[in-house]
Amino acid sequence: WTNEEFKVFIEAMESRPVGYTVFMVMYYTGLRVGELLALTPEDIDFDRHVISVNKNYQRLNGKDYIYPPKTEAGYREVVMPKVLESCLKDYLAKLYDVQPTDRIFPYDRGWVGRQMKYGCDHSGTQKIRVHDVRHTHASLLIDMGCTPLLVAERLGHERVQTTMETYSHLYPNKQTEVAAQLDVIATKDDGYEKTS
């Protein structure tokens, strides 16, 4: 999705506070669905403005399981923008008797998929896979000029190479820009432009 498409989609989700919050978190952090569904109140630090990613949720044969991240890079802290902090504060304030280690989104992947279908149907936004919201976050970061290393850290990629292989087509080709900057440097001598 583009930023404009997300805005149209999220507006259609306003009548569904849980789904709204789920997609706000995914769009502004790039968390995987399993990471999102494993979040607890103690993972959200409003003083430091971070979400700690340290586990993964999965439902198998009707049972809920919490696993550690697959790789060391999966353990990470993702800094929240103010718009997401505000959304999460509102959401957590409405939860009844939630304990620090309770899952704040006690649902499964199927439920998230149904929320997405609702949002797409009611907004007219193109249908994408739930996982593609993560790709949308990565695209947003790249558009903002973030380095592959920063994108990799935020997404929890083990290697920057993974980020480059997945998103290299989104990085603009800067060759012409580099050549122009080199020309500027070449024509300067101790801060004074050479005249030819």
Side-chain angles (χ1 to χ4, degrees), residues 15-144:
S15 61
R16 297 187 164 203
V18 184
Y20 178 88
T21 308
V22 159
F23 287 106
M24 285 288 285
V25 173
M26 288 183 74
Y27 181 75
Y28 285 109
T29 65
L31 261 61
R32 297 172 178 95
V33 183
E35 294 170 338
L36 168 100
L37 294 173
L39 287 177
T40 62
E42 68 183 10
D43 295 327
I44 300 163
D45 186 335
F46 291 113
D47 294 330
R48 294 178 51 239
H49 318 289
V50 296
I51 293 177
S52 293
V53 182
N54 52 45
K55 53 192 166 300
N56 210 345
Y57 164 84
Q58 201 168 4
R59 179 170 286 170
L60 292 170
N61 304 321
K63 287 190 174 167
D64 295 340
Y65 295 95
I66 301 291
Y67 297 102
K70 286 181 191 165
T71 65
E72 208 49 49
Y75 290 94
R76 63 197 187 281
E77 289 187 336
V78 180
V79 179
M80 296 179 280
K82 287 186 175 69
V83 65
L84 179 57
E85 271 194 60
S86 172
C87 173
L88 277 169
K89 278 180 183 170
D90 289 349
Y91 176 73
L92 290 172
K94 291 175 185 144
L95 295 183
Y96 176 72
D97 198 31
V98 67
Q99 300 304 305
T101 56
D102 289 347
R103 286 172 53 223
I104 61 172
F105 304 116
Y107 307 96
D108 64 7
R109 289 168 193 267
W111 179 88
V112 177
R114 289 189 295 279
Q115 294 300 304
M116 178 167 243
K117 183 180 184 322
Y118 172 90
C120 290
D121 289 348
H122 285 75
S123 66
T125 312
Q126 65 164 318
K127 288 181 172 67
I128 61 173
R129 297 172 310 157
V130 169
H131 186 72
D132 291 335
V133 180
R134 179 170 158 83
H135 295 315
T136 298
H137 178 70
S139 302
L140 184 65
L141 297 182
I142 293 164
D143 284 348
M144 289 165 45

Side-chain angles (χ1 to χ4, degrees), residues 152-184:
E153 284 174 0
R154 207 157 163 91
L155 295 181
H157 286 163
E158 187 86 297
R159 301 177 312 121
V160 176
Q161 192 62 31
T162 306
T163 311
M164 286 307 296
E165 286 166 3
T166 311
Y167 301 110
S168 62
H169 64 287
L170 297 176
Y171 279 94
N173 187 327
K174 301 264 187 183
Q175 290 288 347
T176 309
E177 204 176 295
V178 167
Q181 288 173 344
L182 289 170
D183 277 336
V184 169

